[in-house]
Amino acid sequence: MLSYQEIISTLEMLKNEHLDVRTVTLGINLFDCASHDLGTLQTRIRDKIGRIAEALVPVCDQIGDKYGIPIVNKRIAVSPIAVVCAPLGPDGMVAIARTLDACAREMNVDFIGGFSALVEKGIAAGDRSLITALPEALAETERVCASVNVASTKAGINMDAVLLMGRAIKAAAERTAGRDGLACAKLCVFANIPQDVPFMAGAYLGVGEPDSVINVGVSGPGVVKKAVERALASHPDLDLGQLSDLIKRTACKVTRVGELIGREVAELLEIRFGVVDLSLAPTPNVGDSVGEIFQSLGLLAIGVPGTTAALALLNDAVKKGGAFASSHVGGLSGAFIPVSEDLNISDAAAAGHLSLEKLEAITSVCSVGLDMVALPGDTSAETLSAIIADEMAIGVINKKTTATRLIPVPGKKAGERAHFGGLLGESVIMAVNNGVGPNAFIRLGGLIPAPIQSLTN
């Protein structure tokens, strides 16, 4: 039972601190749609998504109105298309992407994820077709999101796949040159991808998941920032241990709200409830930034010395609070630090406080990794692959999820700005060291072996 004070503080979060349910994501298993015939496959996919997802948006709106809690995004995640559509070639994969896009428009959802492949140990025919199709599929569709898992702690890093992804990102950017390479904003490259992520662009429905499931992602940067500011205003002598406890208790309240909404949506849709993702998800709005939390803790900006320690504290406290509030936690469950989607982080990059190297360093203590990072348009495919490989190594060695969402902006240089619009925001283009010239290491390809699980220093 919630106390009176807890109810009042939750109402304050909703009214003044940007608390919302960032996404309700409906996972749909498409394995029973498989067919060698493209037309049959498209029909089965349209029928199944239409049957299960038809009521998703109306029900989310109904529950949001009932509790006065905004559900910002309603999304669909499907089984990895490289497996569902394994017999198809690249042209067939593009046709499936168009089918998914049409389904998303018809269901009125923001995005549909799952145009995905899992290639951490090797590339099958369907995987190769999907990766080949990525540039055209992402450039010609509006709502389709893609992800490719190229590494895991158990398998190592598939450097052949890493090289292919660098080329795919480069080609996707060139196909959307007039929109600052927007297609790349819908493409994540992962290490240790979870099977139940509700956030895009990495959402897909894993092989071990049910036929359909509701997963929820909450927001909360503004709530955490306000809680820290209020506490320090009242008690300036608080130390970091006490602030960690404060963030933990705040995250607990935020998670309860997310689980309440998710369970009620799942009940009305008669679909199993899955998980709450505890990630702090920012927006490009003032007061809803992960970067602002760092300033509330006393740092000049995200990226200055002390940032890694502060992010480690924040991430751990959010996980502890969320784990106490819910027995069904999943997804990424870490602080997102997307450069263009977070106003404060974008400003820190523009001011020179945050470099690509520092951004990579702090991803070692949080989820997602190099997220929504705009790079110079002349960054080569090999350099993109090398940046991906570095980030994958952090995830593989540390037994955690990391990812990249890199956007080489055609025709623009470091220091200029890229504009993506909406929640994707805008950002200064970050400089890349050694951004030109060959990279023989990446060309070697092969599989970087899985790391030893002992001798962990």
Side-chain angles (χ1 to χ4, degrees):
M1 180 68 72
L2 293 175
S3 69
Y4 175 77
Q5 284 185 325
E6 285 178 310
I7 293 172
I8 294 297
S9 69
T10 303
L11 290 174
E12 184 69 17
M13 292 177 188
L14 294 167
K15 185 178 178 183
N16 298 321
E17 299 169 3
H18 304 282
L19 176 61
D20 54 44
V21 173
R22 183 55 49 83
T23 181
V24 170
T25 301
L26 168 59
I28 302 176
N29 186 317
L30 295 183
F31 289 131
D32 55 355
C33 299
S35 170
H36 283 74
D37 180 72
L38 176 60
T40 302
L41 186 51
Q42 289 174 301
T43 300
R44 289 175 178 174
I45 289 174
R46 277 195 298 268
D47 289 349
K48 184 160 188 181
I49 292 177
R51 175 168 50 83
I52 296 178
E54 185 177 17
L56 175 64
V57 173
V59 164
C60 286
D61 291 342
Q62 176 188 337
I63 300 301
D65 291 341
K66 176 181 176 182
Y67 290 103
I69 299 173
I71 300 176
V72 180
N73 300 300
K74 300 89 177 177
R75 296 164 171 176
I76 297 172
V78 299
S79 308
I81 290 299
V83 182
V84 176
C85 307
L88 301 182
D91 291 343
M93 291 291 182
V94 173
I96 293 298
R98 293 194 189 104
T99 300
L100 294 174
D101 198 46
C103 289
R105 279 198 301 274
E106 190 175 341
M107 298 300 113
N108 197 27
V109 296
D110 309 281
F111 288 112
I112 184 166
F115 198 74
S116 305
L118 310 174
V119 296
E120 59 270 22
K121 204 168 184 180
I123 305 174
D127 303 322
R128 192 172 295 279
S129 294
L130 183 133
I131 293 173
T132 304
L134 278 172
E136 184 177 355
L138 293 177
E140 293 194 2
T141 59
E142 179 188 2
R143 308 187 189 198
V144 172
C145 290
S147 58
V148 178
N149 192 69
V150 301
S152 75
T153 300
K154 295 287 187 182
I157 305 174
N158 184 342
M159 293 298 291
D160 295 326
V162 168
L163 186 55
L164 287 177
M165 290 312 300
R167 293 169 179 165
I169 290 169
K170 188 76 175 173
E174 290 169 353
R175 281 180 174 268
T176 49
R179 292 177 285 166
D180 282 349
L182 182 63
C184 300
K186 300 185 293 173
L187 174 58
C188 280
V189 183
F190 272 94
N192 293 322
I193 187 172
Q195 301 193 49
D196 51 8
V197 181
F199 289 103
M200 296 297 171
Y204 81 107
L205 188 70
V207 175
E209 294 285 308
D211 194 57
S212 58
V213 64
I214 290 288
N215 294 322
V216 173
V218 294
S219 176
V223 175
V224 173
K225 175 201 165 200
K226 286 286 185 182
V228 171
E229 287 178 344
R230 275 196 300 269
L232 287 175
S234 304
H235 305 285
D237 57 342
L238 285 178
D239 64 21
L240 290 174
Q242 292 166 313
L243 286 170
S244 173
D245 187 63
L246 171 73
I247 295 170
K248 184 173 66 177
R249 286 185 277 116
T250 303
C252 182
K253 294 176 191 174
V254 170
T255 306
R256 283 184 181 179
V257 171
E259 177 147 348
L260 169 71
I261 296 296
R263 285 193 177 279
E264 191 141 347
V265 169
E267 184 178 344
L268 284 181
L269 290 174
E270 298 182 345
I271 290 173
R272 178 174 167 179
F273 175 72
V275 300
V276 181
D277 188 319
L278 305 179
S279 299
L280 287 176
T283 71
N285 301 323
V286 175
D288 200 23
S289 159
V290 170
E292 287 176 286
I293 298 173
F294 289 80
Q295 292 175 319
S296 71
L297 289 169
L299 292 172
L300 174 66
I302 188 168
V304 302
T307 295
T308 308
L311 185 55
L313 178 154
L314 174 65
N315 218 31
D316 180 68
V318 168
K319 287 180 181 179
K320 287 173 176 170
F324 183 76
S326 173
S327 297
H328 300 278
V329 173
L332 295 165
S333 292
F336 286 175
I337 49 172
V339 179
S340 76
E341 294 179 6
D342 186 307
L343 179 63
N344 192 272
I345 297 177
S346 177
D347 287 347
H353 299 303
L354 183 63
S355 65
L356 186 62
E357 290 73 22
K358 182 62 176 177
L359 192 60
E360 180 185 301
I362 61 179
T363 63
S364 63
V365 296
C366 76
S367 296
V368 180
L370 299 173
D371 194 21
M372 288 300 290
V373 180
L375 301 174
D378 63 356
T379 307
S380 70
E382 286 182 2
T383 299
L384 292 171
S385 298
I387 295 171
I388 293 169
D390 286 344
E391 190 62 36
M392 298 302 102
I394 289 174
V396 167
I397 297 297
N398 291 291
K399 307 181 184 68
K400 66 187 289 298
T401 301
T402 55
T404 64
R405 197 159 40 146
L406 305 176
I407 309 167
V409 183
K412 292 191 176 181
K413 300 177 181 177
E416 296 185 75
R417 297 194 72 84
H419 304 267
F420 307 113
L423 273 177
L424 299 176
E426 63 178 83
S427 171
V428 71
I429 295 172
M430 302 180 76
V432 179
N433 284 337
N434 302 316
V436 293
N439 191 321
F441 169 74
I442 290 299
R443 289 181 192 169
L444 293 175
L447 184 71
I448 294 181
I452 190 168
Q453 300 292 308
S454 58
L455 304 174
T456 52
N457 285 331

